[in-house]
């Protein structure tokens, strides 16, 4: 199953408390909570390029399944991660005490990030 495509954010749960826990300033949280973000994913075998555009802000990450890569997190911080694939439709990684799962089901991507007892869930549809 290929992740390649463009996806538009449809819904999100716990955005504000999760971003506060990440240390984002309140003005950025308020600005970002109502913006529709577009994720563009290009998959070439085990190599991925993920570009997320939210308003005027663009975050672009590249990684290869099973290899250490540097990514930019939602709060702008750069960190090293190893992304694993479970089955043919789940990308899983752990970074700084957070577990991130990206799951593709048909034309829907569900992105779940868990930190302690706080979970951010974002659902995007292919456009």
């Amino acid at each position: 199953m290929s992740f390649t495509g463009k996806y538009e954010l449809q819904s999100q749960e716990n955005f504000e408390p999760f971003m506060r826990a990440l240390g984002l300033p309140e003005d950025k949280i308020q600005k970002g909570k109502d913006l529709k973000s577009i994720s563009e994913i290009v998959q070439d075998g085990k190599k991925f390029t993920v570009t997320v555009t939210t308003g005027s802000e663009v975050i672009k990450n590249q990684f290869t399944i099973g290899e250490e890569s540097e990514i930019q997190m939602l709060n702008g911080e750069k960190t090293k991660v190893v992304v694993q694939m479970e089955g043919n439709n789940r990308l899983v990684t752990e970074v700084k005490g957070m577990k991130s799962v990206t799951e593709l089901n048909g034309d829907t991507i569900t992105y779940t990030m868990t930190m302690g007892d706080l979970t951010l869930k974002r659902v995007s549809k292919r456009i």
Side-chain angles (χ1 to χ4, degrees):
M1 183 175 289
S2 175
F3 282 79
T4 297
K6 272 189 173 183
Y7 302 86
E8 182 177 27
L9 180 66
Q10 300 296 309
S11 65
Q12 57 188 5
E13 297 168 16
N14 290 328
F15 178 80
E16 291 176 68
F18 199 89
M19 292 302 129
R20 284 187 194 104
L22 276 179
L24 248 70
E26 193 63 31
D27 62 322
K28 271 198 159 190
I29 294 170
Q30 293 307 316
K31 196 169 93 176
K33 72 175 183 166
D34 296 321
L35 291 175
K36 287 289 184 199
S37 69
I38 303 286
S39 300
E40 184 171 5
I41 301 173
V42 177
Q43 179 182 357
D44 181 10
K46 290 184 167 193
K47 293 184 178 180
F48 284 76
T49 302
V50 180
T51 307
V52 180
T53 305
T54 307
S56 61
E57 193 166 320
V58 178
I59 295 176
K60 183 175 184 175
N61 288 312
Q62 294 180 301
F63 59 89
T64 301
I65 299 297
E67 295 181 14
E68 186 175 78
S69 308
E70 184 177 77
I71 63 157
Q72 183 176 339
M73 296 183 5
L74 294 170
N75 62 2
E77 186 180 338
K78 293 193 177 199
T79 189
K80 295 204 180 297
V81 299
V82 177
V83 179
Q84 300 293 348
M85 186 169 281
E86 293 181 356
N88 64 353
N89 70 328
R90 284 169 58 103
L91 302 174
V92 180
T93 190
E94 293 212 20
V95 56
K96 297 191 175 227
M98 291 180 283
K99 182 173 184 180
S100 169
V101 178
T102 304
E103 187 167 2
L104 176 65
N105 285 308
D107 285 341
T108 303
I109 282 190
T110 304
Y111 172 78
T112 308
M113 192 172 248
T114 306
M115 180 171 46
D117 59 359
L118 196 56
T119 299
L120 168 68
K121 184 175 179 182
R122 306 180 88 196
V123 177
S124 297
K125 289 247 189 242
R126 192 183 303 259
I127 53 174

